[in-house]
Amino acid sequence: MSKEKSPEKELKEKLFYNKKNVYQIIDNETVNKVNSFSEDYKNFLNLAKTEREAVKFAVEAAVEKGYTEYVPGMELKPGSRLFWNNRGKALILAIIGTEPIQNGVRINAAHVDSPRLDLKQCPLYEDSEMALFKTHYYGGIKKYQWTAIPLALHGVVVLTDGTQVDINIGENEDDPVFAVSDLLPHLASEQMKKTGSAIIAGEDLNIIVGSRPFKSDKESELVKLNILSILNEKYGITEEDFLSAELEAVPAFKAKDIGFDRSMIGSYGHDDRVCAYPALRAILDTERTPVKTIVTVLTDKEETGSDGNTGLNSSYLRYFIENLAEDFGVRGRVVLSNSECLSADVNAAFDPTYPSVMEKNNASYINYGVVVTKYTGSRGKSGTSDASAEFTGRIRSLMNKNNITWQTGELGKVDAGGGGTVAAYIANMDVDVIDLGVPVLSMHAPYEIVAKSDVYMAYRAFKAFIED
Ligand code: MN
Ligand code: MN
């Protein structure tokens, strides 16, 4: 038998678009890099579960690398490394490039907020001699997934004198955790008849925080009193202080390897730390002065639609770029019009258990590399910026030139649902934008799954965009 390829096979290789699993392409040395990058990423996941903690982590890492706080009007030169901390909840890092800034900047933008349960303004109450917190969920969640799992409490309380008290409880091995109860199956026959979205109502997401009464028999609400007494002793707070607090209940799980082959990572909050961390590392690992000025944005409020002054629907990124432009004596809008952006966000990975919501030719798959998403949106591409063929082509050739394994991916079948990212808000400033990120299984669940090889390819993609 001839060992030569058949003409059909040769023609196929030439003409067909062949997607490949990362592990079929990379060498052992790269496998080691994938694994070591994942260890760093897991450490970040465990240390930075909220937007505030992610910003704190990033500022500390940047200062260590010689970044200084940006002050409009300060002296800037190629190689200047800057950070701009937006209210402790969003962050911009920048390195001034060698080319004039009017040629545009390169933006990598990811978000550091994740779905969670926020405490209400007056959260603490007692019922049937148990103390509980009322919550209002943040972002798009399946509410039933947030019952019967260990929760940790993160956030800040601002006292009347302005003192900020940081709270982080439930993460250390010997810390207590909290939980939302669910009904036992024995008594759930009525509950189980409800639709998925109604099985657990928003007002049922009450977090159990105590059950032991203050030792006295003269007063009511003694369990609540005991909790307030503990909080007062530990943090110096009273009940009214909850009114000026941002307290977030997040899953208390740690990030762990998934699978016998340890090829995946299970964690809370991959969306969008799985893009934020590679984007952060890409700028921090940039030793040489880049040609274009580079700007890395870690934003807040994406999960609630990007509104608010720490979200990208506000002006903070535009103001930052306008300020930089003015420092160089050029118009901000000229800089913006010549700028390019990777809007770094996750995509839905094809799930073999739920194939019906995906169109398999256009879905993203784990271990097939970073996903480049030309458009998001829903119902006829509503709410998307839809990157141009020209800019998509530019990113495609950048990926190929740098041997980055990448794939395209659409968020589910047409009319199956949909979603958005920050891309549209950045595109609205006349910037060329495309979404690029990591495929995720169980997106927005308390425990999401990503493949290590895709995380590493995301890092390589952000790095290539900076260095190009
Ligand atoms: Mn996201
Ligand atoms: Mn999301």
Side-chain angles (χ1 to χ4, degrees):
M1 245 178 67
S2 162
K3 280 189 181 150
E4 275 175 25
K5 284 180 194 167
S6 68
E8 292 82 0
K9 190 169 179 178
E10 249 175 55
L11 199 57
K12 264 187 171 176
E13 278 176 13
K14 191 177 156 201
L15 298 182
F16 278 22
Y17 166 44
N18 286 312
K19 286 196 274 191
K20 281 208 177 84
N21 189 299
V22 175
Y23 288 102
Q24 306 293 354
I25 303 167
I26 60 175
D27 56 17
N28 282 338
E29 197 194 325
T30 312
V31 172
N32 292 338
K33 285 182 185 163
V34 165
N35 291 333
S36 94
F37 191 84
S38 295
E39 291 308 304
D40 297 344
Y41 173 48
K42 282 189 288 180
N43 178 54
F44 172 77
L45 284 167
N46 293 336
L47 289 174
K49 287 195 176 182
T50 65
E51 59 285 354
R52 286 180 190 271
E53 289 165 357
V55 166
K56 190 164 169 263
F57 179 102
V59 169
E60 283 170 11
V63 167
E64 209 169 286
K65 289 271 186 180
Y67 284 68
T68 53
E69 187 157 17
Y70 173 62
V71 180
M74 74 195 287
E75 200 194 317
L76 299 172
K77 56 178 194 301
S80 294
R81 285 167 160 73
L82 312 166
F83 72 87
W84 173 259
N85 184 340
N86 181 1
R87 299 167 171 87
K89 303 207 287 183
L91 182 72
I92 300 175
L93 299 176
I95 306 178
I96 304 300
T98 53
E99 250 187 32
I101 198 161
Q102 55 265 42
N103 293 359
V105 302
R106 294 267 165 77
I107 306 165
N108 283 322
H111 68 92
V112 286
D113 60 319
S114 298
R116 60 184 189 246
L117 305 180
D118 282 349
L119 296 202
K120 287 194 186 189
Q121 293 297 100
C122 294
L124 183 61
Y125 70 103
E126 176 172 338
D127 193 342
S128 314
E129 294 184 69
M130 290 171 71
L132 300 105
F133 278 153
K134 292 299 295 179
T135 67
H136 194 141
Y137 64 97
Y138 174 98
I141 62 167
K142 288 170 146 181
K143 294 185 273 284
Y144 65 81
Q145 292 179 332
W146 292 73
T147 66
I149 59 167
L151 297 171
L153 198 62
H154 295 234
V156 296
V157 181
V158 176
L159 309 183
T160 44
D161 68 357
T163 314
Q164 187 174 309
V165 181
D166 289 319
I167 305 232
N168 181 321
I169 183 161
E171 297 296 341
N172 291 328
E173 213 39 63
D174 53 352
D175 276 357
V177 293
F178 311 95
V180 175
S181 62
D182 195 359
L183 204 48
L184 60 168
H186 317 63
L187 298 177
S189 58
E190 283 306 311
Q191 183 195 32
M192 296 311 285
K193 284 180 199 158
K194 295 180 183 172
T195 58
S197 61
I199 282 178
I200 300 293
E203 291 293 353
D204 293 342
L205 292 170
N206 303 317
I207 301 173
I208 297 171
V209 297
S211 69
R212 176 176 164 180
F214 201 80
K215 197 166 182 196
S216 157
D217 52 13
K218 295 197 185 74
E219 280 288 332
S220 62
E221 296 191 285
L222 290 170
V223 178
K224 173 176 166 176
L225 180 64
N226 197 39
I227 295 297
L228 281 172
S229 157
I230 293 167
L231 291 174
N232 186 259
E233 200 174 298
K234 195 169 157 92
Y235 301 110
I237 62 175
T238 66
E239 191 176 13
E240 195 185 302
D241 293 321
F242 281 119
L243 294 174
S244 50
E246 283 181 344
L247 292 166
E248 307 172 4
V250 298
F253 326 129
K254 295 271 182 270
K256 289 246 180 194
D257 288 348
I258 287 193
F260 290 114
D261 57 9
R262 296 179 170 267
S263 60
M264 296 162 281
I265 302 169
S267 174
Y268 163 67
H270 280 310
D271 178 9
D272 187 31
R273 261 158 280 208
V274 75
C275 299
Y277 184 72
L280 172 66
R281 275 286 298 273
I283 189 167
L284 293 179
D285 292 352
T286 298
E287 306 286 350
R288 271 194 319 194
T289 301
V291 176
K292 288 271 171 30
T293 291
I294 59 172
V295 174
T296 299
V297 186
L298 304 182
T299 196
D300 182 28
K301 293 279 179 276
E302 194 280 337
E303 295 295 358
T304 52
S306 295
D307 289 321
N309 56 16
T310 52
L312 274 178
N313 198 18
S314 83
S315 300
Y316 81 89
L317 174 59
R318 184 163 57 86
Y319 288 171
F320 177 80
I321 290 171
E322 284 176 350
N323 281 333
L324 277 189
E326 258 177 61
D327 294 341
F328 288 99
V330 301
R331 287 193 175 98
R333 60 174 182 263
V334 173
V335 178
L336 283 164
S337 298
N338 290 325
S339 292
E340 298 178 326
C341 172
L342 296 181
S343 160
D345 211 340
V346 298
N347 202 320
F350 183 87
D351 185 335
T353 306
Y354 300 100
S356 67
V357 298
M358 293 293 185
E359 188 269 283
K360 64 183 190 336
N361 289 334
N362 287 285
S364 63
Y365 295 80
I366 65 163
N367 286 319
Y368 275 72
V370 68
V371 197
V372 176
T373 304
K374 187 174 178 295
Y375 52 86
T376 58
S378 49
R379 301 176 311 281
K381 296 192 176 180
S382 176
T384 182
S385 58
D386 204 347
S388 67
E390 291 86 344
F391 189 56
T392 310
R394 145 130 173 77
I395 297 305
R396 173 185 163 203
S397 72
L398 177 72
M399 297 295 119
N400 290 344
K401 191 171 73 184
N402 288 281
N403 291 319
I404 295 163
T405 313
W406 69 284
Q407 56 184 325
T408 180
E410 186 164 337
L411 192 97
K413 272 185 179 166
V414 175
D415 289 343
T421 64
V422 300
Y425 303 110
I426 296 173
N428 286 349
M429 297 192 290
D430 196 29
V431 174
D432 272 314
V433 188
I434 195 161
D435 279 300
L436 182 147
V438 173
V440 177
L441 290 165
S442 306
M443 194 196 295
H444 283 206
Y447 203 61
E448 303 174 314
I449 300 170
V450 299
K452 291 179 177 179
S453 69
D454 299 329
V455 183
Y456 182 67
M457 287 300 162
Y459 166 71
R460 297 249 348 261
F462 299 130
K463 199 96 194 331
F465 188 56
I466 286 172
E467 287 169 358
D468 182 53

